[in-house]
Amino acid sequence: METYTLTTAGADLVYDVRGPLPTADGRPPLFLIGHPMDASGFAALAARFPDRTVVTNDPRGLGRSSRADGRVHYTPEILADDVHAVITKLGAGPVEMFASSGGAVTALALVARHPGDVTTLVAHEPPLITITPDGPAAVRARAGVRDAYEKRGWGAGMAAFVAMTSWEGEFTDAYFAQPAPDPAAFGMPAEDDGSRDDPLLSDRSWAVSDHRPDADAINAAPTRVVIAVGEESRTVQTGRTSDAAAELLGQRATVFPSHHGGFLDGEFGYPGKPDEFAARLREVLDAS
């Protein structure tokens, strides 16, 4: 693996390349992106594609990438332009892409803004909360996570986030009537560490989950777009946002093994099924 830094007007973008460029097999590089997860979260998945040249990156302001734009908030458009800059620097595009969570939102914006960058995009569980039928209630639930984080710190915020993302079905009065979850019940610290800059728990990434993809631009692009959803996620928020995104693009979501982090091994505490997930991803990519 080789690591590089691309300096742009607003950021120093760090990315990793596993394998040769140009690629040895003549296929495009496979680019794996996330948000707010950085490249470290894709180690298990990348290891299951030893025959491919795999590219991973840290989004600006996260992991090893810094930002110099004077901002702390994230927008899909800026993140998409950063990925475009890396693809251009690679000189081996267009690429195939697997994008997870907020990275899937970035990738949908990328296809709309730079339609020649990606041949096939597998967008896994984009958290586009405003396009679900209960969008206003989902926005209220998201605000509750931010409020818990602001008032009581990381443990309380993360407990609220887990409660929100594991709730089945639409956000009803029953959801909002629940008592605040106890961080200790999730194995999280109750004490406040004083931080308020977590991109997952604060409002810094709200523009990502507020994003509405440009369906006309995406469908007009030469990119084959596949909206993917984990089999264990169908009834929770990211499963429902995946179905809504697929419907917006005139398709049905393609089912993958496991859950929102189905490609992860045990390193991050909630393992998925990385072998089965990688096999399914390979199958979907090869079908293009």
Side-chain angles (χ1 to χ4, degrees):
M1 185 178 77
E2 299 290 338
T3 298
Y4 304 91
T5 300
L6 172 62
T7 298
T8 69
D12 286 338
L13 306 172
V14 178
Y15 63 97
D16 305 310
V17 180
R18 296 169 171 85
L21 286 176
T23 61
D25 58 1
R27 290 187 64 168
L30 175 57
F31 204 150
L32 313 177
I33 68 170
H35 193 271
M37 188 174 70
D38 60 31
S40 63
F42 291 106
L45 187 58
R48 286 161 172 81
F49 285 87
D51 55 321
R52 299 289 304 274
T53 295
V54 177
V55 181
T56 55
N57 77 309
D58 290 351
R60 67 168 58 197
L62 298 171
R64 301 159 295 173
S65 291
S66 61
R67 64 189 306 175
D69 57 0
R71 304 176 63 176
V72 296
H73 293 83
Y74 298 92
T75 69
E77 294 79 13
I78 290 176
L79 295 167
D81 287 348
D82 286 347
V83 175
H84 169 69
V86 173
I87 292 172
T88 301
K89 183 64 176 179
L90 290 173
V95 302
E96 293 184 333
M97 181 170 286
F98 171 77
S100 171
S101 193
V105 181
T106 298
L108 291 170
L110 174 70
V111 170
R113 293 169 70 83
H114 305 285
D117 278 4
V118 183
T119 58
T120 296
L121 165 64
V122 179
H124 183 248
E125 300 199 8
L128 300 164
I129 67 173
T130 64
I131 68 172
T132 58
D134 63 329
V139 168
R140 179 184 171 193
R142 182 187 62 181
V145 172
R146 186 273 316 274
D147 292 347
Y149 177 54
E150 288 287 337
K151 291 176 182 177
R152 292 179 286 134
W154 184 87
M158 185 57 72
F161 178 79
V162 171
M164 179 186 73
T165 55
S166 60
W167 179 261
E168 296 192 358
E170 295 189 355
F171 292 104
T172 62
D173 290 343
Y175 173 82
F176 295 106
Q178 298 179 109
D182 180 5
F186 299 99
M188 298 168 187
E191 63 274 8
D192 187 346
D193 66 359
S195 68
R196 295 296 185 272
D197 58 357
D198 189 296
L200 187 67
L201 305 178
S202 67
D203 61 7
R204 295 185 175 194
S205 296
W206 279 13
V208 175
S209 50
D210 282 342
H211 184 67
R212 184 177 182 87
D214 187 337
D216 290 340
I218 292 169
N219 286 332
T223 307
R224 171 181 169 244
V225 176
V226 177
I227 302 296
V229 62
E231 60 186 355
E232 299 175 29
S233 301
R234 301 312 300 269
T235 61
V236 298
Q237 185 180 50
T238 55
R240 296 188 301 110
T241 61
S242 300
D243 286 334
E247 183 178 354
L248 183 68
L249 298 179
Q251 60 177 266
R252 293 176 64 88
T254 298
V255 179
F256 270 60
S258 198
H259 49 69
H260 191 64
F263 52 91
L264 299 172
D265 58 20
E267 182 179 358
F268 295 94
Y270 184 27
K273 298 178 180 177
D275 289 335
E276 294 93 331
F277 195 100
R280 179 63 166 143
L281 177 58
R282 188 181 293 273
E283 177 185 282
V284 171
L285 292 173
D286 289 349
S288 60

